[in-house]
Amino acid sequence: MAVRRDSAVGEQGSGGGKKTAKAAGKAPVSAAKKAPAKTTAAVKKATVAPRKATAAVKKAAPAVKKAAPAKTVAKKPPAKSNESQTALVRRARRINRELAEVYPYAHPELDFENPFQLVVATVLSAQTTDLRVNQTTPALFAKYPTPEDLAAANPEEVEEILRPTGFFRAKTKSVIGLSKALVEQFGGEVPGRLEDLVKLPGVGRKTAFVVLGNAFGRPGITVDTHFQRLVRRWQWTDETDPDKIEAAIGALFPKSEWTDLSHHVIWHGRRICHARKPACGACPITPLCPAYGEGETDPEKARKLLKYEKGGFPGQRLNPPQAYLDAGGKPAPPLGAG
């Protein structure tokens, strides 16, 4: 019985073996079908991963490309220490001579007929253009032609006239205050000394030198924003304080040239050597400029950046000198025209 049971068990096992074999025969096929799928998926994942990695590299690559130009595009001028003081003086004076040939008609770009009008116009030129001042002062001087008239003016009426220049309340206070000071301290006359001018409300060294140089013929250096930018760009000085810039540049030139030098530099800054996009390709002093290449170097593109008479546009004065008109300059339009 035991044997039979064993054989029965064996038969059952054998029969079960047949079924199992059949099942087993099917299972490997199914497994074989499924296995490649998993393998393929794994391969796909492995393939995708490099793509993602490649994408990451591509994303990272532009960052590297963008970072590189920051170091190479801006052309750093040679260190100032490479130029001796003698060489600097020679280069600076040659630049001034070159600019004198380019702007032989350079002049103060504020309209004025006397020292009083010039000092008032210069105070008003803060934080605005000379053109805007020139368009505003005709109405002011028509109503208040003398220091006595402006000293006694109604502030609200003056503010309304000066509104187009910006900061009109502060400027009204300054021009009325300096007019009163002229009447009370200087008999209604503009003083011709630096130490007296800087005592007037709203008058600093820059304004004082504009008045001294252009109304009294006394040499002075006008350190405005254009002047500061260019003398640093040309490496005449690395000072940032206006008084120190004035002293440093004054040491490079004879005193007799200070006023005309100021005109030449300021005119060049307004017309060609702009703050954001210098027209390097149209600049007459490129061989002398250590900052050449900071702006547009293509001649045709550079010419499109020129301003005022160099670009065929009106200047800043409504009543410019005849020499300026003879050179092709055009007078500016009055306020509200066009």
Side-chain angles (χ1 to χ4, degrees):
M1 293 295 292
V3 174
R4 289 180 183 177
R5 286 179 183 173
D6 291 342
S7 74
V9 172
E11 288 175 0
Q12 289 177 355
S14 174
K18 291 179 182 178
K19 292 180 181 179
T20 305
K22 290 180 181 179
K26 293 179 181 179
V29 174
S30 177
K33 290 181 179 178
K34 290 182 179 178
K38 291 182 180 179
T39 305
T40 306
V43 172
K44 286 182 179 178
K45 288 182 180 178
T47 307
V48 171
R51 288 180 182 173
K52 290 182 178 178
T54 305
V57 171
K58 287 182 178 179
K59 289 181 180 178
V64 175
K65 290 181 180 178
K66 289 180 181 177
K71 296 180 180 179
T72 57
V73 169
K75 295 185 179 180
K76 292 185 178 180
K80 186 181 176 182
S81 59
N82 293 339
E83 186 175 38
S84 67
Q85 183 67 15
T86 300
L88 171 60
V89 170
R90 289 175 178 172
R91 182 169 64 87
R93 293 185 181 184
R94 185 179 171 189
I95 286 177
N96 187 39
R97 290 195 299 271
E98 295 285 345
L99 295 181
E101 294 183 7
V102 178
Y103 311 109
Y105 43 76
H107 56 269
E109 294 193 89
L110 289 169
D111 283 324
F112 70 98
E113 295 178 358
N114 54 57
F116 171 64
Q117 290 188 359
L118 180 57
V119 70
V120 170
T122 307
V123 169
L124 296 179
S125 68
Q127 305 298 319
T128 191
T129 63
D130 287 356
L131 171 59
R132 181 62 68 189
V133 174
N134 292 336
Q135 292 174 327
T136 305
T137 50
L140 180 70
F141 295 139
K143 191 167 186 178
Y144 310 106
T146 68
E148 290 81 3
D149 295 323
L150 192 52
N154 181 337
E156 292 182 358
E157 294 179 0
V158 176
E159 286 179 1
E160 194 58 34
I161 296 174
L162 301 184
R163 187 179 293 272
T165 67
F167 303 97
F168 57 92
R169 291 188 179 88
K171 291 179 180 180
T172 295
K173 185 177 179 180
S174 292
V175 298
I176 290 179
L178 75 84
S179 297
K180 289 181 178 179
L182 290 176
V183 173
E184 296 170 0
Q185 301 175 30
F186 302 101
E189 298 293 331
V190 176
R193 299 195 312 165
L194 175 65
E195 54 268 34
D196 292 330
L197 284 169
V198 294
K199 293 178 182 177
L200 300 174
V203 178
R205 290 179 68 86
K206 184 192 82 170
T207 298
F209 280 129
V210 170
V211 175
L212 290 174
N214 298 289
F216 294 98
R218 296 176 183 174
I221 295 177
T222 303
V223 185
D224 72 348
T225 55
H226 300 287
F227 193 94
Q228 292 184 50
R229 181 179 73 254
L230 266 62
V231 298
R232 286 174 56 80
R233 186 174 276 174
W234 294 336
Q235 293 188 5
W236 288 3
T237 181
D238 57 3
E239 298 289 353
T240 56
D241 178 76
D243 291 349
K244 292 181 179 179
I245 291 175
E246 176 194 324
I249 305 307
L252 302 178
F253 295 88
K255 192 173 182 178
S256 59
E257 297 181 11
W258 286 358
T259 299
D260 286 340
L261 167 70
S262 300
H263 290 324
H264 298 153
V265 175
I266 293 170
W267 274 57
H268 193 61
R270 285 176 172 169
R271 285 152 175 76
I272 295 178
C273 197
H274 311 135
R276 295 183 179 178
K277 290 185 178 180
C280 293
C283 180
I285 60 167
T286 53
L288 303 170
C289 180
Y292 174 76
E294 287 186 6
E296 180 57 64
T297 57
D298 180 82
E300 291 300 323
K301 294 180 180 178
R303 271 193 284 272
K304 295 178 181 179
L305 300 175
L306 301 181
K307 294 183 179 179
Y308 305 118
E309 76 287 344
K310 290 298 176 184
F313 302 107
Q316 299 203 74
R317 292 188 64 165
L318 276 67
N319 299 299
Q322 188 60 44
Y324 178 73
L325 298 175
D326 293 341
K330 301 177 183 178
L335 189 65

